[in-house]
Amino acid sequence: MEQRIKGTTGLMMLIGSPVGHSGSPDMYNFSFRYHNLDYAYMAFDIKEDQVKAALDAMRLFKMRGCNVTMPCKNEAAKYMDELSPAARIIGAVNTIVNENGKLIGHITDGIGFVRNLKEHGVDVKGKKMVVLGAGGAATAIQVQCALDGAESISIFNPDDPFLARARSTAEKLKSEAPQCRVQVYCLDDQEKLKEEIAGADILVNGTLAGMKPHDDVSPITDTSMFRPGLVVADVVYNPEVTKLLREAEEAGCTTVGGKGMLLWQGAAAYKLYTGLEMPAEEYQKYQAENGK
């Protein structure tokens, strides 16, 4: 039998709630085995009021890395010694690197999104984008794309508390990424949405619309907004092909699903922890062979 856990084995972890469904332990432990790294990765169900204690334990146990999922991303950012530019703008972290007791917080969701587009031959630099939503994933995408050189980003969100967050993000990006023009609109204004999509290169669904069990839903109800040459990307990964993507593809759009974003945000964190490229192709093959 292969011996995986030894007296020298370092621990890495995922914190958040719930975490029982997470694929992160499988992905990271596969990658550690592939690179023959002496680490083990586990998930811990942690509520927001337990975050500080968990991060104290990270220092105490000399854990090299920690991933953070909902609802703990904003709370964890409060206890970082240093934040990456994107994490600082957003005020949230999903990846923490322990540099000899100094905790450095990163947000890799947007990095994963940009990498997923690149894997499909799409670069955000110089592009005009429309992003639907202003929640955690959508905000990470907006910030990273602005930092990576998008020409403009039009954010559409319903008239709810997240609309204020979108406006706050736009204000921050004026100084942090002045080359990118960021505008915020209410999603109720369908004429404005149609106008902005008509001039856009990339349309992104950053909401949960279309995720199972609501896979009969699309955030775009007027399919005349789709056209050949438009790239349509979704953060939803279950189902892999959402109603949005299916209808966009039928209209001649280039489509990019959300499963790759999930993979590449994890790969970005893996590189931060280890300095190595995650064996993404090998892991995808392993997933396919094992029905994961």
Side-chain angles (χ1 to χ4, degrees), residues 13-17 19 44 46 51 54-55 66-70 72 76:
M13 66 176 176
L14 168 69
I15 61 172
S17 185
V19 292
F44 297 96
I46 298 294
V51 167
L55 297 180
C66 171
N67 288 111
V68 186
T69 189
M70 296 302 292
C72 299

Side-chain angles (χ1 to χ4, degrees), residues 15 48 51-52 55 59 68-69 71-84 86-96 103-107:
I15 61 172
E48 288 173 272
V51 167
K52 184 179 185 302
L55 297 180
R59 287 189 175 95
V68 186
T69 189
C72 299
K73 293 182 179 184
N74 297 93
E75 187 67 16
K78 299 175 184 177
Y79 302 104
M80 295 298 99
D81 299 304
E82 187 179 313
L83 291 167
S84 71
R88 177 173 45 79
I89 295 168
I90 297 166
V93 301
N94 76 334
T95 301
I96 304 170
L103 301 187
I104 304 173
H106 302 261
I107 189 93

Side-chain angles (χ1 to χ4, degrees), residues 126-130 149-154 179-182 196:
K127 298 297 194 302
K128 296 179 180 179
M129 302 179 65
V130 171
E151 180 183 318
S152 68
I153 302 173
S154 297
Q179 84 292 338
C180 182
R181 182 175 58 86
V182 183
E196 290 298 308

Side-chain angles (χ1 to χ4, degrees), residues 23-32 262-263 265-267 278 283:
S24 293
D26 190 54
M27 178 173 68
Y28 286 109
N29 286 316
F30 173 89
S31 301
F32 295 152
L262 197 65
L263 173 70
Q265 64 86 19
M278 177 180 277
Y283 179 63

Side-chain angles (χ1 to χ4, degrees), residues 7 28 32-33 39 96-99 142 158 189 201 205 231 233 243 287 290:
Y28 286 109
F32 295 152
R33 290 193 301 273
Y39 288 116
I96 304 170
V97 181
N98 184 354
E99 297 285 4
Q142 293 153 14
D189 191 345
D201 302 298
N205 173 36
V231 176
K243 183 180 181 183
Q287 281 184 304
N290 291 274

